[in-house]
Amino acid sequence: QVDVVESGGGLVQAGGSLTLICEVSGSIFRLIAMGWYRQARGHEREVVATINSGGAINYADSVKGRFTISRGDAKDTVYLQMNSLKPEDTDVYYCNARGYTDLMSVFDSWGQGTQVTVSS
């Protein structure tokens, strides 16, 4: 079993900053990639930023230059530093982790989500 837990969401004024934290735990043999996604009610979930085991990073065009994804030293933690937040960044943010368990089965796990609200 693999658990994904997000934290760090909250309410912030436009122009402010927040840092989201994602921690993965469980019977993990290898993490392939982790990423942040967001979803507003009634809309599809969209990618915000991803990072793979080799360190390759991708950002959605809407957050480039404002958000930064990074991994912790233990590699089972991912951060999303969000600066210059805009009201349109308001969403529920989800962390995703993909990899292999110690039984060599593939996992693709999601956290429960954390709410980010940016007031104008």
Side-chain angles (χ1 to χ4, degrees), residues 32-37 46-71 78-81 98:
I32 297 173
M34 295 181 70
W36 289 97
Y37 297 73
E46 62 178 16
V47 63
V48 175
T50 61
I51 183 169
N52 67 17
S53 58
I57 291 173
N58 285 290
Y59 293 102
D61 288 343
S62 59
V63 306
K64 284 180 180 177
R66 300 188 298 122
F67 291 10
T68 302
I69 189 171
S70 62
R71 291 182 301 191
V78 166
Y79 304 92
L80 185 68
Q81 175 66 42
R98 292 183 289 116

Side-chain angles (χ1 to χ4, degrees), residues 85-107:
L85 283 161
K86 305 175 181 180
E88 51 263 43
D89 293 318
T90 296
D91 269 325
V92 179
Y93 284 69
Y94 296 89
C95 181
N96 173 263
R98 292 183 289 116
Y100 294 95
T101 69
D102 56 5
L103 296 178
M104 300 308 292
S105 61
V106 174
F107 70 88

